[in-house]
Amino acid sequence: MNALETITKEIRACTACDLHETRSQAVPGSGTSDAQIVFIGEAPGAQEDKRGLPFVGQAGKLLDQLLEGIGLDRDRVAILNVIKCRPPDNRPPRKSEIAACRHFLERQLDAIQPQLIVTLGRFSLVQFCPDVSITQVHGQVQRVDGRLIYPVYHPAAAFHRSVWRQALEKDFGRISEILASLQK
Ligand code: SF4
């Protein structure tokens, strides 16, 4: 069992915060330790909680379309969430839950060592860049503690405002270019 598989096993058995009482199952994430790029969302929703996989609801379908648009599919990337268990009624995760769960994400990133981390939405972004606004920095690479963070809007938000959808598509369109520039 490699490091990522060990973390997955720990997440599935975790009872470190109250969310374990209301989840159907934990959602550790998808992808392998050789992924060059990691996408990070907030927390599982109802569909994810039911199936144990990240981004499998409506927002996940849009994520798949966006990946396809840049010649990627799920097999070539990793998809994670900051919080691994669904908050009831999709309420925002509490500080204590974020604190209890955060080490899993850090360990997953250490195991994968991605070239690029794409944060999906404000919540994910502020875990790495607490002092910035997503409206100001989306589509701009941020260097944080030796990591490259690329903030984009959350696919679920894109359903509500067409301007965010356009920005999301445009920002995704730059991912290949950014990855190519990292190979030089
Ligand atoms: Fe454990 Fe994270 Fe689930 Fe809380 S949300 S029970 S810390 S895996």
Side-chain angles (χ1 to χ4, degrees):
M1 192 180 288
N2 66 28
L4 199 56
E5 290 165 344
T6 301
I7 300 163
T8 294
K9 195 174 168 192
E10 284 180 36
I11 292 170
R12 289 200 193 284
C14 180
T15 57
C17 81
D18 289 347
L19 293 179
H20 84 276
E21 293 174 359
T22 49
R23 73 185 179 205
S24 301
Q25 58 190 314
V27 183
S30 65
T32 55
S33 48
D34 59 359
Q36 290 184 332
I37 176 165
V38 170
F39 293 82
I40 304 177
E42 177 173 329
Q47 289 299 318
E48 290 77 18
D49 175 75
K50 203 168 161 185
R51 294 178 53 189
L53 294 167
F55 281 88
V56 289
Q58 211 185 6
K61 284 189 188 135
L62 178 53
L63 179 60
D64 286 338
Q65 285 172 22
L66 290 162
L67 287 172
E68 194 182 339
I70 56 170
L72 290 173
D73 60 38
R74 285 184 182 235
D75 293 342
R76 295 181 55 201
V77 304
I79 303 176
L80 308 174
N81 280 305
V82 176
I83 300 292
K84 313 301 186 187
C85 302
R86 183 191 181 209
D89 303 318
N90 294 339
R91 66 160 171 73
R94 295 180 176 133
K95 277 187 183 169
S96 59
E97 293 158 357
I98 299 167
C101 209
R102 179 59 196 254
H103 72 102
F104 285 129
L105 178 62
E106 284 298 326
R107 289 168 58 203
Q108 287 173 316
L109 292 175
D110 284 348
I112 298 170
Q113 297 277 321
Q115 293 184 338
L116 188 66
I117 295 172
V118 180
T119 54
L120 301 165
R122 185 196 64 83
F123 180 87
S124 174
L125 170 62
V126 299
Q127 307 309 314
F128 299 94
C129 310
D131 300 321
V132 300
S133 155
I134 191 166
T135 54
Q136 290 174 337
V137 301
H138 73 87
Q140 300 167 35
V141 174
Q142 313 287 306
R143 289 178 189 273
V144 183
D145 298 333
R147 289 173 173 156
L148 293 187
I149 311 293
Y150 186 60
V152 302
Y153 286 117
H154 195 287
F159 290 122
H160 302 298
R161 289 185 63 176
S162 61
V163 65
W164 288 350
R165 168 84 182 234
Q166 288 161 10
L168 185 58
E169 288 172 355
K170 189 174 171 204
D171 292 345
F172 256 75
R174 285 200 58 225
I175 289 176
S176 305
E177 174 198 322
I178 294 166
L179 282 177
S181 74
L182 296 175
Q183 311 298 330
K184 289 176 187 167

